[in-house]
Amino acid sequence: TPRRRLRTSKPRPTAPAAAKPPLVTVTPGSSAATKTAPEIGAFAAPPNAPPPPPVGVGPIVNRAKGLIAQGNLAGAARALVEGIKDNPKNSELIGTTQQLYSAAEAEASNARNAADAAGAKDQPDYADANVRLQTARNSTRTAGPQNAEAIVIEFGAAANLYRTAAERVRTATG
């Protein structure tokens, strides 16, 4: 009678399994977040699913307030403008933009007071600073919050011109 061969625990060699393609292919310069539903495959939301809820503006407002506290008014303006692009009527963003304008105007006013104390009213830079300060003040009322960065830059330019005027008086008399 023929003998039957017993199976051993040793597996038989098999052909290598074909590598499965990844569910999402990310090419350099792109990200999976930019893929459309058909590209993402099984993880995509159904076509009739509602859009995801908007991200709150709290982190933007907190970041802007922190930058204002640090004196980085231009950085705060950039953060707020980015938030305003997506949420143009958000009261938190608008209110924080008003706080930003107040801080920028206070900086320019403090520089003006220092220039006044130095006796710089007759300096050409002082007159230029007055024009820029008035332009910035008017812009806070007439330009939309999406222009916050330009307005803050204008307040900053006024402050720098007041400082320059004061410094010229000090060096001329010193």
Side-chain angles (χ1 to χ4, degrees):
T1 67
R3 286 179 125 188
R4 288 189 88 180
R5 195 168 176 191
L6 296 175
R7 289 190 182 201
T8 62
S9 62
K10 195 174 187 184
R12 288 184 182 190
T14 60
K20 291 183 180 178
L23 291 175
V24 176
T25 303
V26 179
T27 57
S30 69
S31 71
T34 62
K35 301 294 180 189
T36 61
E39 292 174 310
I40 296 178
F43 296 103
N48 59 352
V55 176
V57 297
I60 296 168
V61 169
N62 290 340
R63 180 168 183 258
K65 286 182 177 181
L67 291 168
I68 292 169
Q70 294 171 8
N72 184 351
L73 303 182
R78 281 189 294 277
L80 288 168
V81 167
E82 284 303 311
I84 288 168
K85 283 180 186 175
D86 295 330
N87 304 287
K89 302 212 185 256
N90 183 280
S91 61
E92 283 183 272
L93 290 172
I94 302 298
T96 306
T97 302
Q98 293 303 318
Q99 290 175 9
L100 170 67
Y101 293 158
S102 294
E105 185 172 3
E107 179 184 348
S109 294
N110 289 340
R112 182 180 185 172
N113 293 340
D116 288 345
K121 285 186 178 185
D122 295 331
Q123 293 292 314
D125 289 331
Y126 188 94
D128 292 343
N130 281 336
V131 170
R132 295 208 99 167
L133 179 60
Q134 192 57 49
T135 299
R137 284 177 174 160
N138 291 341
S139 295
T140 62
R141 292 185 296 278
T142 60
Q146 69 277 7
N147 296 313
E149 189 172 3
I151 293 168
V152 167
I153 288 169
E154 195 70 14
F155 275 122
N160 288 336
L161 285 167
Y162 285 127
R163 289 184 195 109
T164 301
E167 187 59 32
R168 287 194 179 159
V169 169
R170 285 187 206 108
T171 56
T173 59

